[in-house]
């Protein structure tokens, strides 16, 4: 039976406000696509081509994690205000405008400084976004809507990766960087027009909401599935971050790929991303989410194995596709997982998850890049793969044990 005032779109029943948010999210994400391609796929190769050292490559890889070290602090503030939207909009507007600086001053140090400041700002918005998504979309359609929006973005990023590669080869990185800053800023301004429920979602004791690691870890320790998830993603995520700068070093310095060849590799990445968003978004709403998450966790074990054992351009193409599968699942899968396990506490739990990412994401790239001059790249990548397989095994075993405990008679 249809709910009064609801609409039927994309095979789902939803309120008009939810459909409006989906359209805004869709449009803003399409505008964001060029920024995503330039920052996440070409920013580091641009820096390497400008002469970045292995240490600077490590810092660029670690930058996304640095700001996340402080995510639990921001999460407590977000819960206290009860309004996550400003914490998403303001850091994103400032951060996306910063990408102009490497275009104007093409020095490796400027790339590193820009990346660090940008990612510190993203450390503010990340836990807020988890809470905002819970207000944008109800749980019964959240996975599919997030998936559909990202499928459209992934489809657009496939030709964009090719175009940016040709553009950068012919005219240098300045044009793509400036264009990315303009479109990225426009996308977040559009995203600001979202319509959230007038009645704020209840938050636990706003007057008492303050940063407390003891309170946050108590929340984790009291939920076995959540604890297993955090432990597994810490191992697999560390392996992924350890190997991340090594991928770029292999592509640019070992295989000496052109920007166009890197663009083809990124097309493979976006193809995997797109297909996974389409499939995983549906599965998240229909089956036990742990089956989806295990595929994403194991992807981070497979990719470094491909690079470390084969290390050819073919391995780069295949590895990028699998990396896209993993990152799509980590994106929407983790958001949905946290929302289901800790409703109303999304910002706090996601803040702990991001803090752990901050630790492994800072140490992993610096360790990988720092050791790359004295230890073979293949050996480092095999070690990263082993970390991924340990995380996968922990997730499978931990969830099986948690299920057995739930089914045991009390």
């Amino acid at each position: 039976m249809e709910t009064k005032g609801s609409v039927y779109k994309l095979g789902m029943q939803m309120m008009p406000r939810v459909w409006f948010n989906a359209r805004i999210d869709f449009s803003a994400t399409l505008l964001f696509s060029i920024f995503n391609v330039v920052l996440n796929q070409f920013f580091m190769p641009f820096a390497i081509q400008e002469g970045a050292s292995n240490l600077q490559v490590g810092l660029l890889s670690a930058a996304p994690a640095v700001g996340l070290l402080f995510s639990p602090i921001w999460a407590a503030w977000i819960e206290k205000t009860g309004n996550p939207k400003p914490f998403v909009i303001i850091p994103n507007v400032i951060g996306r405008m910063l990408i102009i600086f490497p275009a104007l001053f093409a020095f490796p140090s400027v790339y590193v400084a820009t990346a660090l400041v940008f990612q510190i700002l993203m450390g503010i918005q990340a836990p807020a976004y988890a809470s905002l998504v819970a207000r944008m979309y109800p749980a019964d359609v959240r996975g599919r809507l997030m998936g559909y929006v990202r499928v459209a973005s992934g489809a657009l990023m496939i030709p964009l990766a090719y175009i940016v590669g040709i553009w950068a080869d012919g005219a240098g990185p300045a044009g793509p960087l400036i264009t990315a800053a303009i479109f990225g800023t426009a996308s977040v301004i559009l995203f600001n027009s979202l319509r959230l429920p007038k009645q704020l979602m209840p938050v636990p004791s706003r007057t008492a909401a303050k940063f407390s690691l003891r309170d946050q870890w108590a929340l984790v320790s009291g939920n076995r599935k959540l604890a297993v998830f955090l432990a597994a993603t810490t191992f697999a995520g560390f392996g992924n971050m350890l190997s991340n700068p090594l991928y770029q070093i292999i592509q640019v310095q070992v295989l000496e790929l052109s920007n166009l060849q890197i663009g083809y590799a990124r097309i493979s990445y976006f193809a995997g991303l797109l297909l996974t968003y389409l499939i995983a978004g549906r599965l998240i709403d229909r089956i036990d989410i742990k089956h989806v998450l295990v595929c994403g966790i194991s992807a981070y074990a497979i990719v470094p194995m491909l690079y470390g054992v084969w290390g050819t351009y073919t391995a780069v193409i295949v590895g990028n596709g699998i990396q896209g599968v993993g990152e799509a699942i980590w994106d929407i899968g983790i958001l949905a997982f946290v929302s289901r396990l800790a409703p109303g506490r999304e910002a706090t739990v996601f803040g702990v998850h991001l803090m752990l990412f901050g630790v492994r994401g800072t140490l992993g790239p610096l360790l990988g890049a720092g050791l790359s001059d004295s230890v073979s790249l293949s050996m480092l990548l095999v070690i990263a793969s082993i970390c991924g397989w340990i995380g996968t095994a922990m997730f499978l075993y931990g969830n099986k044990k948690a299920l057995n405990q739930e089914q045991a008679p009390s």
Side-chain angles (χ1 to χ4, degrees), residues 201-245:
M201 291 175 66
V203 296
S205 183
R206 284 191 195 174
T207 57
K210 59 182 180 180
F211 173 66
S212 170
L213 274 178
R214 178 179 297 178
D215 173 66
Q216 292 174 341
W217 282 112
L219 178 63
V220 174
S221 62
N223 189 321
R224 182 178 178 85
K225 288 185 178 179
L226 185 58
V228 167
F229 162 77
L230 291 174
T233 53
T234 295
F235 270 92
F238 177 77
N240 180 56
M241 296 309 299
L242 178 70
S243 56
N244 195 51

Side-chain angles (χ1 to χ4, degrees), residues 14 144 219 264 272 387:
M14 66 188 82
R144 281 170 288 176
L219 178 63
Y264 284 132
C387 290

